[in-house]
Amino acid sequence: TWGLNICNMFESILERVLSTYFGRFITGLDKNNLHVGVWSGNVQIENVSAKPEIIDMLELPLNLAFSHIGKLQLKIPWSKLSSAPVEALIDSVYLIFTPKDRESWSVIDMNSFERKLQNIDEYAKMYFEQLITKEKEKEKSKSGGKEGGFVEKLTAKIVDNLQ
C-alpha cells in the first residue's frame, strides 16, 4: 500500500500540473476527464473545448464560435525520455469559426511576418549554440579537458529526437 500511496500522490501532482498547463488553452478540464497513468506514461484528456483566446494568439480575422476536443492523448516514454519523442495524439476535433467584424481585422504583411519568423529562428539557433558551448566549457572544466561529456551527449540526443 505504501507504493500505491506514492503512485496516487504522484498522479495527483501530475494532474495539477497538467490542469494548470492545459488550462490556459482548454476549458472543461477536471479530474473526471483527465486520466493519468504514471508508470505507463499515458495521459488522456477527454471531452474538453478550446478557449476562444487561442485564435486571438494566431491573429486571424476569426472568432471561435464552438469547439469540442474528443480526446487528447500524450504518450510519455519515461524510461527513454532523452531518446524517444513524446507523442501527442488528438482525436475528434470540431471547430466552428465566424468572421470578426471588418473593423477589428489586422492585415499582416507576409514579408514582414516571414522576416520576423526568420529572425526568431536565427535567434533560437544562436541561443542553443551558445548554451551548448557553455555546457561544453563547464564539462571540460569539470572533467579536466575531456571531450564529449554527459550534458553534451544528452543535449544531442534530445535535439536528435525532437518531433
Side-chain angles (χ1 to χ4, degrees), residues 89-155:
L89 306 168
I90 302 173
D91 188 32
S92 301
V93 176
Y94 301 99
L95 303 171
I96 297 176
F97 298 101
T98 58
K100 284 187 177 181
D101 296 328
R102 190 172 266 304
E103 296 82 37
S104 64
W105 287 16
S106 66
V107 179
I108 297 175
D109 173 17
M110 286 309 289
N111 290 331
S112 173
F113 182 71
E114 288 175 8
R115 231 179 357 264
K116 288 177 185 177
L117 285 177
Q118 184 179 4
N119 289 342
I120 291 170
D121 188 44
E122 289 172 6
Y123 175 78
K125 287 178 184 177
M126 180 185 70
Y127 176 78
F128 283 116
E129 287 172 0
Q130 289 175 354
L131 182 65
I132 290 170
T133 302
K134 286 180 183 179
E135 290 300 323
K136 284 180 183 180
E137 290 172 3
K138 285 181 187 178
E139 277 299 312
K140 281 184 185 179
S141 66
K142 286 181 183 177
S143 64
K146 294 179 184 175
E147 291 284 335
F150 172 74
V151 174
E152 180 183 349
K153 291 177 184 175
L154 180 61
T155 304

Side-chain angles (χ1 to χ4, degrees), residues 8-89:
N8 288 338
M9 183 176 69
F10 187 65
E11 282 183 3
S12 175
I13 292 169
L14 190 56
E15 285 175 355
R16 277 184 276 166
V17 169
L18 291 171
S19 293
T20 301
Y21 179 76
F22 285 113
R24 297 183 295 170
F25 307 106
I26 57 177
T27 59
L29 181 62
D30 59 29
K31 286 190 174 192
N32 296 326
N33 59 4
L34 172 63
H35 309 285
V36 179
V38 174
W39 305 121
S40 68
N42 289 324
V43 175
Q44 189 165 307
I45 300 170
E46 296 176 323
N47 300 318
V48 292
S49 300
K51 286 189 173 183
E53 295 84 29
I54 64 172
I55 300 305
D56 294 336
M57 289 181 218
L58 300 173
E59 297 180 2
L60 296 173
L62 302 170
N63 290 316
L64 182 61
F66 173 81
S67 67
H68 176 78
I69 302 169
K71 186 190 318 182
L72 169 63
Q73 185 175 8
L74 301 174
K75 294 182 180 182
I76 306 168
W78 294 116
S79 62
K80 301 176 188 173
L81 198 53
S82 65
S83 62
V86 174
E87 294 179 304
L89 306 168

